[in-house]
Amino acid sequence: MTNIPPPAEELRLLDAELRQLDARRAVLLRRREWLVHVLRTASAQRSVPGAGQMPPVWPVAPGAAAPRTEATAPGVQNVLLLLGGILLTVAAIAFTLVGWGHLGITGRALVLAAVTLAALSAPVWLLRRGLGSTAEAVAALGMALTVLDAYALHEVAFDGSGGLGYAAAASAVLSAAWAAYGAAADLLVPRSDAGSPTRPDRARAGAATAARPALRLPLPCAVVTAQVPLLLWALAVDAGPHTLTAVLLVTAAADTVVALRPAHAPVRIVGLVGTCVAGALGVLSAGWLCWSAAAPVAAARGAALLLLAAAIALAAARYAPKPEVALCASLAAGLCLVAGAGGVLRAWLPGEWTVPGCLALGIALLTAVRTPLPRPMRQGVVGASLVVQGLAVLWTLPLVAGTLLGPVALIERPWSGTPLDIRDAVFQDAAWPSYATAAPLVLAAVAGVLALAERRAVRRPASGVGALVLAWAAVVVTPVVLELPYGAGLVAHGAVVVVALGIAERARRGTGGPSAPAPTALVLALVTSVTLALVSLATEAGTITVLLALAALFGVASTRPGLVAFTAPAALAHATALACAAGASAGLRPEHTALLVLVVPAVAALVAARAARAGRSAATVPVEAAGAAAALLALTLAVTDLPVLASVLALCGVVAAGTALRPERRRAGHAAAALFLLAAWVRLAAWEVTTPEAYTLPVSVAALAVGHLRRRRDPSVSSWTAHGAGLSVTLVPSLLAMWGDPHWLRPLLLGTAALALTLVGARSRLQAPLVLGGGTLALVALHELAPYIAQVVGVLPRWAPPALAGLVLLALGATYEQRLRDARRLREALGRLH
């Protein structure tokens, strides 16, 4: 039979086995960590003599982690070589600058020649022995010595020559010498000896190693040095800005050739950076020369430089190895062409036609789509066209923004008189933008391009929206630019609203095509209507006529199912403004104008109910929101006259009550009750009624009636929920008023009411009337007995109250348990009530 140990013994055995497993797991984890460390440092240890020995079977300290090296052998080697090269270079500079005068001319030449030749020839010997890093350091030292040789040669033989001219010649010679030195190293050193023979991954990187030169530094340094000879020469001969710009562009062209040829990666990177820097400086300088020229001939000279830059960019795009580079280069070429031609046009044409001329050139770039150019180049040229069109549209923004926002200033001085023309009404307080005459033409041209792109299915949604917005902007600013008469300008803006609504309706029906999206057209119609209403504030007749027409127009548009969610609130907003304008025209005070404004919430409630019955739920909330905003405006206008404010509140309550008749808007009944209550309170305040019961009793009666009906419907409802709020609304303010009332009538009435509530609560077994009535009755009694208590306390000696308090505490302490039982029974009795 199996001998099963007791539970305690079995638990001890299990714990012992678990401890053994944990110890074994810890040992295995330490071994794994050491093995990972050995594998990570194996490649670095192979290049160190004696590193091929097998590692020990176990770490020196099994209980601790293996020590980690913080630097690899190649890293230490590179740091040492770098420091050595820096120190030798500093020593050479110090010798050249300080110790140069202690030697004769022959000694100087021999010392510099010997040191330089030794430094330049040593890398070949080092490369053949696989010491690549050492060879790079010595080669860098040799190239630094050639710079010192050039300086020493200037101090000895060319001391009288100009510094800039000699620097230009020396930099050119040094660049050529370093390039030849790098090429010679490739010829003298076999390709298999150019790197370290101990590199483990030579088989995998054979192709990359074959494309790498023997020495990495000479060729990139030669390219960097080649950036300055032409520029230094131009500065030495006091060349003008056009020559300096041409020098920068020629340097950029040479860098482009270097960047595009199949050379080593660092050489291509240096050439690409040189192309970008020199090209950007040259293009900026050429653009400044072209656009700041006063005469056409000078502008043409700057344009020729920009044309040269465009040619360089196009050549780079044609032979670029990557499509992204070709796209960027062709984009820059297109911008340079437009900038050059635009600068010439600026010198020939009046100022307001400069931007349209540049826009025409930018649109002409779109013809590159039908050329046999590679796809990335076509995309770049099209991108340049889009950039030019975007900049032209940005140029028109001040005029468009002024047309839309300028009439806002008329709010401060409405009906100030008929302006001279529509421009005077819009830009009365704003500065007229310079050269804004051609802005409508620019907007219309870009809109036409976008419409054509949309027709050809090029980014159809965005193109259609852009075409519609730009066409609308062109039409809106045209009356201002043409300085039409004031009335004609109002009619033109009104026509824009009508056309926009028509476009929205056609788009809703699906007959307007994708170029006329309904939401965009509706937004444009709303924005134009607001601008039109603001412009009409200049005259009284114009304001009333425009607001009446807008309210009627949007009201008619609200009969369309797809537009009602936008147009119905707009019609209500314009009707609200019309009511305010009509009240002001009739000479009514603001509080009386509020009664006119209340017509709008009533109409909004009817429209929302009709929309709900017709199944247009999307229009219900916007219409109700517009009606609520109009009601809030009416309350704001009537706040200075309490009787009128009470009437406005009552009428708002009637509208809310009518809204609450709809099944889905039952909650509006709460708002109606609150509005009726506020109307009653405001009316009492207008009658200067100060009795709090006049304000609280109506609330209590209504609340108690609602609570009674609720308890009849659901007997499980607590009396506090049904009657607590209604009773407290009257009892609490009456108690507060009683303590400051010296008369006897309020305590008598309040006490009688509290007694009645207590009896009703006791008979009906309800907590809320019993507790609130009893508490109120006790406070009333305390209020009535307070004078007598004060007299008794005044007659008693001062030691009597403390003695009486002590006796009370002793009595309570002696009967503490009995008092607890009494309190528990009282709590249980109250708990059995509702």
Side-chain angles (χ1 to χ4, degrees):
M1 296 178 64
T2 303
N3 185 16
I4 300 176
E9 181 65 16
E10 185 179 2
L11 180 61
R12 186 183 64 79
L13 293 175
L14 290 176
D15 290 339
E17 291 181 3
L18 289 175
R19 283 194 297 271
Q20 292 177 2
L21 290 175
D22 291 339
R24 180 60 179 168
R25 185 175 184 274
V27 172
L28 294 177
L29 286 176
R30 287 197 302 272
R31 177 67 177 178
R32 182 185 182 278
E33 182 180 4
W34 179 75
L35 291 174
V36 170
H37 170 68
V38 169
L39 292 175
R40 288 179 178 174
T41 57
S43 60
Q45 291 177 353
R46 291 194 188 104
S47 61
V48 180
Q53 301 176 1
M54 290 298 293
V57 177
W58 198 260
V60 177
R68 299 178 63 88
T69 57
E70 298 182 357
T72 61
V76 175
Q77 178 187 7
N78 292 332
V79 171
L80 294 178
L81 292 175
L82 178 63
L83 291 176
I86 292 175
L87 292 177
L88 288 176
T89 304
V90 172
I93 294 174
F95 169 76
T96 305
L97 296 178
V98 180
W100 184 257
H102 299 290
L103 300 175
I105 185 65
T106 304
R108 300 171 187 174
L110 291 176
V111 170
L112 280 176
V115 174
T116 303
L117 289 176
L120 293 177
S121 59
V124 177
W125 181 81
L126 294 172
L127 287 172
R128 290 179 175 177
R129 282 154 182 80
L131 302 177
S133 300
T134 307
E136 294 288 351
V138 177
L141 174 63
M143 290 188 295
L145 289 175
T146 57
V147 178
L148 296 178
D149 290 341
Y151 169 75
L153 185 63
H154 176 267
E155 293 296 324
V156 173
F158 300 99
D159 191 14
S161 61
L164 289 176
Y166 181 80
S171 60
V173 173
L174 286 176
S175 177
W178 290 349
Y181 178 62
D186 287 340
L187 294 176
L188 295 176
V189 180
R191 185 65 63 186
S192 60
D193 297 336
S196 175
T198 62
R199 183 176 299 275
D201 55 347
R202 179 180 303 276
R204 293 194 305 267
T209 305
R212 186 180 61 200
L215 292 175
R216 302 179 184 181
L217 288 178
L219 292 179
C221 292
V223 176
V224 172
T225 309
Q227 307 297 313
V228 295
L230 287 178
L231 183 61
L232 292 176
W233 170 80
L235 294 175
V237 299
D238 295 330
H242 290 82
T243 304
L244 289 174
T245 303
V247 165
L248 288 173
L249 294 176
V250 171
T251 304
D255 290 332
T256 302
V257 174
V258 174
L260 294 178
R261 66 185 298 269
H264 189 40
V267 179
R268 294 198 304 270
I269 293 174
V270 172
L272 180 61
V273 173
T275 299
C276 296
V277 174
L281 293 176
V283 168
L284 292 176
S285 177
W288 179 79
L289 292 173
C290 182
W291 282 79
S292 62
V297 177
R301 294 175 62 189
L305 294 174
L306 288 173
L307 183 61
L308 174 61
I312 296 172
L314 285 176
R318 177 65 181 82
Y319 298 101
K322 295 183 178 181
E324 296 82 3
V325 178
L327 190 148
C328 294
S330 56
L331 173 65
L335 293 178
C336 290
L337 288 175
V338 173
V344 176
L345 289 177
R346 187 198 63 84
W348 280 95
L349 299 176
E352 61 268 17
W353 295 103
T354 301
V355 175
C358 293
L359 177 61
L361 295 172
I363 295 175
L365 291 178
L366 294 176
T367 56
V369 176
R370 299 187 176 275
T371 60
L373 292 174
R375 179 181 177 83
M377 294 185 65
R378 295 199 305 270
Q379 291 178 344
V381 175
V382 171
S385 175
L386 295 179
V387 170
V388 173
Q389 295 179 56
L391 293 176
V393 171
L394 289 179
W395 175 74
T396 64
L397 283 185
L399 177 62
V400 177
T403 303
L404 297 178
L405 302 178
V408 176
L410 292 173
I411 297 177
E412 299 179 356
R413 50 177 188 281
W415 302 347
S416 56
T418 304
L420 298 176
D421 49 46
I422 191 65
R423 182 188 295 185
D424 182 56
V426 173
F427 286 90
Q428 189 171 1
D429 293 337
W432 176 253
S434 58
Y435 303 130
T437 306
L441 180 61
V442 171
L443 292 170
V446 179
V449 172
L450 292 177
L452 182 62
E454 187 272 337
R455 185 181 296 273
R456 296 185 178 181
V458 179
R459 298 187 180 273
R460 174 164 288 182
S463 300
V465 171
L468 181 60
V469 172
L470 293 179
W472 165 80
V475 175
V476 167
V477 300
T478 298
V480 181
V481 171
L482 297 179
E483 299 184 61
L484 295 181
Y486 178 69
L490 294 180
V491 173
H493 284 174
V496 173
V497 178
V498 175
V499 172
L501 290 176
I503 293 174
E505 175 61 17
R506 289 184 60 196
R508 184 188 68 83
R509 293 179 179 178
T511 59
S515 62
T520 304
L522 282 174
V523 171
L524 296 179
L526 295 176
V527 173
T528 310
S529 68
V530 173
T531 303
L532 176 59
L534 292 175
V535 174
S536 68
L537 290 176
T539 61
E540 179 179 353
T543 302
I544 295 177
T545 303
V546 167
L547 291 176
L548 181 61
L550 289 176
L553 176 63
F554 283 101
V556 172
S558 300
T559 58
R560 303 300 179 182
L563 308 181
V564 63
F566 292 89
T567 55
L572 294 174
H574 290 302
T576 303
L578 177 62
C580 295
S585 178
L588 300 179
R589 298 174 58 184
E591 57 269 21
H592 297 150
T593 304
L595 298 175
L596 292 177
V597 176
L598 282 179
V599 176
V600 177
V603 174
L606 296 175
V607 173
R610 181 180 178 184
R613 286 195 303 270
R616 298 181 229 169
S617 57
T620 304
V621 175
V623 169
E624 290 175 345
L632 183 60
L633 176 61
L635 293 175
T636 304
L637 293 174
V639 74
T640 57
D641 193 328
L642 293 182
V644 178
L645 178 60
S647 302
V648 171
L649 286 169
L651 293 174
C652 291
V654 171
V655 175
T659 303
L661 294 177
R662 291 158 46 195
E664 72 277 7
R665 290 291 185 266
R666 296 300 188 195
R667 294 183 179 273
H670 301 294
L675 290 171
F676 286 134
L677 177 62
L678 289 176
W681 284 357
V682 171
R683 175 58 64 181
L684 291 174
W687 290 337
E688 298 181 357
V689 175
T690 57
T691 304
E693 289 78 8
Y695 294 88
T696 58
L697 278 176
V699 181
S700 294
V701 171
L704 290 174
V706 173
H708 178 68
L709 293 176
R710 185 174 181 184
R711 275 188 59 82
R712 287 185 59 184
R713 185 178 303 172
D714 186 6
S716 63
V717 175
S718 171
S719 62
W720 290 103
T721 304
H723 307 303
L727 295 175
S728 301
V729 167
T730 296
L731 293 178
V732 173
S734 297
L735 282 174
L736 295 176
M738 180 190 65
W739 288 101
D741 191 355
H743 301 285
W744 56 270
L745 182 59
R746 177 176 278 113
L748 177 60
L749 295 177
L750 184 58
T752 303
L755 178 60
L757 281 177
T758 305
L759 295 176
V760 171
R763 183 179 181 277
S764 303
R765 300 179 61 84
L766 298 176
Q767 283 186 7
L770 181 61
V771 174
L772 292 177
T776 304
L777 185 59
L779 291 176
V780 171
L782 180 62
H783 175 268
E784 294 302 315
L785 294 176
Y788 303 101
I789 295 174
Q791 292 177 6
V792 172
V793 173
V795 172
L796 292 176
R798 294 187 177 181
W799 54 265
L804 181 61
L807 291 174
V808 172
L809 291 177
L810 287 175
L812 290 176
T815 60
Y816 180 72
E817 294 183 358
Q818 182 63 33
R819 301 289 79 77
L820 287 179
R821 286 194 295 269
D822 295 341
R824 192 177 298 112
R825 283 196 297 269
L826 178 60
R827 186 182 61 185
E828 292 174 354
L830 288 176
R832 287 192 294 269
L833 302 179
H834 289 282

